[in-house]
Amino acid sequence: MRSLNKYSNKIRSILIDLGLSLLSIIVALIVGTLFIYLTDKSPIDAYSALYIGAFGSFRAIANTLWRSTPLILTGLAVALPFRAGLFNIGAEGQLLMGGFTAGVVGFYFTSLPTFIHLPFAIIAGMFVGGLWGGLPGLLKAKMDVHEVIATIMLNHIAIALTINYGINIFRDTGRPATPKIMESASMFNFKNIMDYPLLSNLPFAELFAQPAIRLHINFFLALIAAVILWYLLFKTTLGYEMRAVGFNPDGAEYGGINASKGIITAMFISGAVAGLAGVGEVLGTHLSFINGMDAGYGFTGIAVALIGQTHPIGVILGGLLFGALAQGGLEMQFSGIPSEIVMLIQALVIFFVAALQVFKVYLAKRKAKGGVE
């Protein structure tokens, strides 16, 4: 009976958290109408364009999923260490290092079969991203260097290594990018589904065969990553140790948990997941490492993690929300709505999520204070 009550309380807590996020989104959209009015545009037309651009057609839905992919992964990269009491601001740099490594592996090895080349490039990118995340974790664990400072500085180093130095070393054309990867290293893109006899007979295959669809297999790898991280956090001893360290590092150490191990592991896995976001952009979207491919995904991932309550499943929903805003925002621009309105709505969502969380903490402290009295 006690375990049943504990389970029901946990479900209720999750529903409350998701309800707060949903409420913040609704409030943000309501407040956003005021700013749309200031542009002399109709909020109904603006939000209709947003919906049509994100969900109005099969192509729109597919591209919404595509835009959501790196946001889900960088959101996971923030959410995991957050559960361990760490704040990873370095997903941007980890994404760049992972993507650059995958790009180099993708074009440098010219005679590998696909079943070796593609996994090699993915694993290499994730490993280097993991190293880039594990380094600030090591500094935190062994030298008490704050991870926020370390990850911010490593972002700048990653930009210098990959964009300002790496591209200039490897590029063989005038464009700011490394050479195109080999076809054997490219991720499967759904617009090419008709090229595969077994897949072309599947239901809805013809709907995917549109040149404008950019969805590739990394979206499903992102979903798999979310499920794995959920299982790791809540169903394994390692995940329990990470969460214990995040809740009370001194108490965890007293209980026999190696806090340093938990910190380093959490940051390494976080960096690997962010690296997978960069891998997908290189091997699935651009087919080379290009300047600007990060597009601020690492920093937007912070907002995605907050909206998802730093829970892997919630992060998927948060990533889909921001992916829909990005995809639907294009249709809003075509309708004459300034692009800044979409950015403003995103900022309002983040603001109200943070405000409601502060209010929730305030209520919890007030309740605890009343209990003591």
Side-chain angles (χ1 to χ4, degrees):
M1 188 69 176
R2 184 180 299 176
S3 62
L4 182 62
N5 290 334
K6 181 179 179 182
Y7 183 76
S8 62
N9 290 335
K10 186 176 181 181
I11 294 293
R12 185 175 64 179
S13 177
I14 293 174
L15 291 177
I16 290 174
D17 287 339
L18 292 178
L20 285 174
S21 294
L22 180 60
L23 178 61
S24 68
I25 295 168
I26 294 173
V27 173
L29 294 176
I30 293 173
V31 175
T33 60
L34 301 177
F35 292 96
I36 295 173
Y37 271 123
L38 294 177
T39 64
D40 295 326
K41 302 293 183 180
S42 167
I44 296 177
D45 293 340
Y47 288 137
S48 296
L50 180 66
Y51 174 80
I52 292 172
F55 305 109
S57 66
F58 188 86
R59 177 192 61 80
I61 294 173
N63 285 342
T64 293
L65 299 181
W66 163 66
R67 291 187 184 276
S68 301
T69 302
L71 298 175
I72 292 172
L73 289 168
T74 53
L76 292 171
V78 175
L80 174 65
F82 194 88
R83 291 278 178 168
L86 303 166
F87 202 4
N88 180 17
I89 310 292
E92 192 88 356
Q94 295 148 19
L95 179 152
L96 287 171
M97 293 299 294
F100 180 76
T101 302
V104 172
V105 172
F107 75 77
Y108 185 79
F109 295 93
T110 59
S111 57
L112 293 177
T114 299
F115 71 90
I116 294 178
H117 200 182
L118 179 57
F120 179 27
I122 293 174
I123 293 172
M126 292 182 66
F127 180 73
V128 173
L131 291 179
W132 211 249
L135 178 57
L138 180 65
L139 294 174
K140 171 73 173 181
K142 301 301 183 182
M143 303 178 65
D144 201 27
V145 176
H146 203 289
E147 72 278 2
V148 170
I149 303 299
T151 50
I152 288 175
M153 298 306 295
L154 283 171
N155 281 339
H156 294 286
I157 296 174
I159 292 172
L161 287 176
T162 60
I163 296 175
N164 300 336
Y165 181 74
I167 287 178
N168 290 330
I169 291 294
F170 290 109
R171 68 177 174 183
D172 57 357
T173 62
R175 68 192 189 101
T178 58
K180 290 282 187 179
I181 63 171
M182 299 291 107
E183 185 176 352
S184 56
S186 63
M187 287 183 169
F188 171 73
N189 191 303
F190 284 91
K191 69 181 180 182
N192 301 323
I193 193 170
M194 302 304 289
D195 296 337
Y196 299 85
L198 292 177
L199 299 178
S200 62
N201 295 322
L202 294 175
F204 309 111
E206 293 183 357
L207 293 176
F208 282 105
Q210 302 179 41
I213 286 182
R214 308 190 71 182
L215 178 66
H216 50 75
I217 201 68
N218 207 40
F219 173 74
F220 296 97
L221 296 182
L223 298 183
I224 293 172
V227 173
I228 291 174
L229 291 185
W230 169 81
Y231 186 84
L232 172 69
L233 276 172
F234 301 106
K235 300 295 181 180
T236 67
T237 302
L238 178 60
Y240 172 79
E241 292 176 351
M242 289 181 185
R243 290 184 289 117
V245 170
F247 183 75
N248 189 334
D250 295 332
E253 286 278 7
Y254 183 79
I257 295 175
N258 189 335
S260 296
K261 174 187 173 183
I263 290 172
I264 297 171
T265 303
M267 289 299 292
F268 178 86
I269 296 174
S270 170
V273 173
L276 180 59
V279 169
E281 291 304 290
V282 172
L283 304 184
T285 298
H286 303 290
L287 303 182
S288 66
F289 181 88
I290 67 173
N291 186 4
M293 56 155 264
D294 49 310
Y297 292 136
F299 299 111
T300 307
I302 298 173
V304 170
L306 290 176
I307 288 177
Q309 305 296 325
T310 66
H311 191 285
I313 307 305
V315 168
I316 294 176
L317 300 177
L320 291 173
L321 169 66
F322 276 86
L325 289 174
Q327 180 64 25
L330 297 176
E331 188 67 28
M332 291 179 69
Q333 293 180 55
F334 294 147
S335 302
I337 307 296
S339 60
E340 290 78 10
I341 293 296
V342 178
M343 298 176 62
L344 180 63
I345 293 173
Q346 290 179 341
L348 288 171
V349 170
I350 297 169
F351 172 79
F352 285 110
V353 166
L356 287 172
Q357 286 303 307
V358 171
F359 183 65
K360 180 183 175 183
V361 171
Y362 167 76
L363 290 179
K365 288 184 176 180
R366 186 175 179 179
K367 182 179 179 181
K369 185 178 179 181
V372 171
E373 293 176 349

